[in-house]
Amino acid sequence: MSKEIELGITVGGTYITVSGTYHPEEPEERYDGNMEGYPGSYAEFELQSVQVDGTEIIDLISDAIFDEIVDKVLENQH
């Protein structure tokens, strides 16, 4: 079940507040004789906001920083 989260993390020595939608991992369900089942899915985080001291900066961050933020949020959810 997806949930909205807000989390404070440090990236590159800067403390930021991020928020978005977290989708937990879904386990695999084996296929049966009717070929019914589900291959499963990895956990995902849809980043919607990145703030430094209350200022929105999501449009200013690089793709590499974006990916690093998503990875840190996912690590924090386990």
Side-chain angles (χ1 to χ4, degrees), residues 12-46:
T14 302
Y15 182 80
I16 60 176
T17 303
V18 300
S19 62
T21 306
Y22 172 71
H23 305 277
E25 180 178 357
E26 295 180 1
E28 174 186 28
E29 292 181 18
R30 297 282 179 178
Y31 290 93
D32 59 19
N34 295 329
M35 294 307 292
E36 293 180 7
Y38 179 69
S41 67
Y42 295 105
E44 296 179 346
F45 179 66
E46 295 176 47

Side-chain angles (χ1 to χ4, degrees), residues 26-68:
E26 295 180 1
E28 174 186 28
E29 292 181 18
R30 297 282 179 178
Y31 290 93
D32 59 19
N34 295 329
M35 294 307 292
E36 293 180 7
Y38 179 69
S41 67
Y42 295 105
E44 296 179 346
F45 179 66
E46 295 176 47
L47 184 59
Q48 297 164 343
S49 174
V50 179
Q51 295 186 1
V52 174
D53 294 328
T55 301
E56 182 61 53
I57 63 164
I58 195 166
D59 292 333
L60 304 175
I61 62 175
S62 69
D63 290 342
I65 297 297
F66 188 98
D67 292 342
E68 183 178 347

